[in-house]
Amino acid sequence: MYINGSLLLNGSSGESRLKGQSFAVFRILVVCLLTLLILATFVWNFLVLVTILRVKTFHRVPHNLVASMAVSDVMVAALVMPLSLVNELFGRRWRLGRVLCHIWISFDVLCCTASIWNVTAIALDRFWSITRHLEYTLDTRKRISNVLIALTWALSAVIAFSPLFGWGEAYSAATQNCQVSQEPSYTIFSTCGAFYLPLSVVLFVYWKIYKAAKFRIGSRKRNVVVPMPEILQVKEASHQPQMECAVRHAALTFQADGEAWRQQKEKKAAVMVGILIGVFVLCWIPFFITELISSLCSCDIPPTWKSIFVWLGYSNSFFNPLIYTAFNKNYNNAFRCLFIKQR
């Protein structure tokens, strides 16, 4: 019995040792993956900012909206994600003090909310440029985009800094916990202002873009070019009819090419906005659903799942510049020129 008991004890300790080693290897892999995500997010968004600053053709709308989005995503990578990784390494226990906790949470909410609203602003800009391309001139776009950027950062600041004035508490010294204020009223305000309201806007915008694109394609199919009778009249000893026919044919060809170019541009913009919105929803909706549910019904969400949902939301800052630049040849050419000059 003693020998069997010893064997059983040694066997169980061996299994626990193997499990501990496997967990340690898995943890190292996760830390390496998150570190790469932080570096890639910072470098890619910083590269977008440098490109916009160095290329003069980008010093206009809608690139100021892209620059605003890149600034918020760079701040997520530089100020938010590293401290979140430190918190994960300490077993989700905050050991950096109350002041730094409040600073981290404030910038977390500020930068992530600004990133979400910048996506919304870009979707609105694409929507107006497609549906109102005649009235939505460059000067109008510049004024509206500046207003959208100002509203984005102002609303994000209100949501982020409200807890500093007594609307809940982010730090708990007893449990060494640092998280967004769980005050139910603040949770409803912050989740609606930071996610559910912009989600409603972008879904409505993309639905309108889809309807507009579908209507234009249908109207083009119904269009028929009817030759004008006066152009076909032939006059003796005159080459004027041939000239008129040639000029009219050139005008019709030019209009057809212009319509095809605009149709291709609208289709490309619609695809880009659709992918941008789709990735935004997939990255952030798990976090905001659990955030709202856990605060209102006092449900216990496993800490591991909370971490997964938080980092999935952070990853949206990595995908944003990839999606936007992938559908813009000007950025790809500017990136090549930037690397060639550096060599």
Side-chain angles (χ1 to χ4, degrees):
M1 293 292 293
Y2 177 78
I3 294 176
N4 291 337
S6 299
L7 290 174
L8 182 61
L9 182 63
N10 291 333
S12 62
S13 62
E15 290 178 0
S16 63
R17 192 181 302 113
L18 288 174
K19 288 181 179 179
Q21 291 176 353
S22 300
F23 179 75
V25 172
F26 176 75
R27 190 175 183 181
I28 292 172
L29 290 175
V30 170
V31 170
C32 292
L33 180 63
L34 296 180
T35 303
L36 288 175
L37 177 63
I38 294 172
L39 293 175
T41 303
F42 179 84
V43 170
W44 195 251
N45 283 283
F46 185 75
L47 185 61
V48 171
L49 280 176
V50 171
T51 304
I52 294 175
L53 291 175
R54 293 190 61 177
V55 180
K56 291 183 179 180
T57 56
F58 289 160
H59 297 176
R60 57 185 178 86
V61 292
H63 303 288
N64 56 350
L65 292 173
V66 180
S68 179
M69 182 176 67
V71 167
S72 60
D73 290 335
V74 161
M75 292 175 67
V76 170
L79 303 176
V80 178
M81 296 170 74
L83 288 177
S84 184
L85 180 59
V86 171
N87 192 39
E88 296 289 338
L89 291 175
F90 283 136
R92 304 179 191 90
R93 293 183 179 274
W94 187 261
R95 300 181 181 179
L96 302 177
R98 183 174 182 270
V99 175
L100 192 56
C101 170
H102 284 172
I103 295 174
W104 174 53
I105 291 297
S106 297
F107 276 103
D108 187 348
V109 178
L110 173 69
C111 300
C112 292
T113 304
S115 178
I116 291 172
W117 274 107
N118 279 315
V119 172
T120 308
I122 290 175
L124 284 170
D125 177 75
R126 291 298 177 271
F127 167 64
W128 289 323
S129 64
I130 289 174
T131 59
R132 301 179 182 179
H133 61 275
L134 296 178
E135 307 94 18
Y136 201 52
T137 61
L138 187 62
D139 292 335
T140 304
R141 292 182 74 181
K142 190 172 183 178
R143 289 195 301 269
I144 292 178
S145 63
N146 290 334
V147 172
L148 289 175
I149 292 172
L151 289 176
T152 290
W153 288 97
L155 178 61
S156 301
V158 170
I159 295 174
F161 298 126
S162 293
L164 298 180
F165 297 93
W167 204 352
E169 177 60 45
Y171 178 68
S172 174
T175 59
Q176 290 185 321
N177 190 25
C178 181
Q179 61 179 351
V180 179
S181 172
Q182 297 298 297
E183 182 72 25
S185 57
Y186 176 75
T187 300
I188 295 173
F189 169 72
S190 61
T191 54
C192 290
F195 179 73
Y196 292 109
L197 179 58
L199 175 64
S200 302
V201 173
V202 296
L203 291 180
F204 174 77
V205 162
Y206 191 68
W207 175 66
K208 296 291 285 185
I209 290 175
Y210 174 78
K211 282 188 65 178
K214 190 176 180 180
F215 173 77
R216 292 195 181 196
I217 292 173
S219 62
R220 289 191 186 104
K221 288 180 179 180
R222 293 191 298 269
N223 287 338
V224 179
V225 178
V226 179
M228 297 183 67
E230 60 270 18
I231 300 300
L232 299 178
Q233 295 177 357
V234 179
K235 298 180 181 179
E236 294 182 0
S238 176
H239 300 287
Q240 187 177 358
Q242 294 180 2
M243 294 175 62
E244 290 182 359
C245 286
V247 172
R248 182 59 56 89
H249 176 71
L252 290 173
T253 304
F254 175 77
Q255 289 176 1
D257 291 342
E259 287 296 317
W261 175 81
R262 178 166 290 280
Q263 182 179 1
Q264 184 180 5
K265 184 180 179 181
E266 291 176 1
K267 182 179 179 182
K268 199 171 183 180
V271 171
M272 186 274 293
V273 172
I275 296 176
L276 195 69
I277 292 172
V279 173
F280 150 70
V281 172
L282 291 176
C283 288
W284 279 115
I285 200 167
F287 170 78
F288 280 100
I289 288 177
T290 55
E291 188 73 10
L292 190 61
I293 291 175
S294 61
S295 178
L296 295 181
C297 69
S298 301
C299 302
D300 291 330
I301 308 296
T304 302
W305 284 106
K306 280 188 176 181
S307 297
I308 292 173
F309 295 154
V310 167
W311 283 95
L312 183 61
Y314 290 158
S315 68
N316 186 236
S317 296
F318 167 74
F319 290 116
N320 283 338
L322 287 179
I323 296 169
Y324 191 84
T325 56
F327 287 87
N328 196 315
K329 291 182 180 180
N330 294 330
Y331 277 101
N332 296 329
N333 295 332
F335 289 158
R336 292 194 197 98
C337 294
L338 192 64
F339 285 122
I340 290 172
K341 287 182 181 180
Q342 287 179 350
R343 291 178 183 177

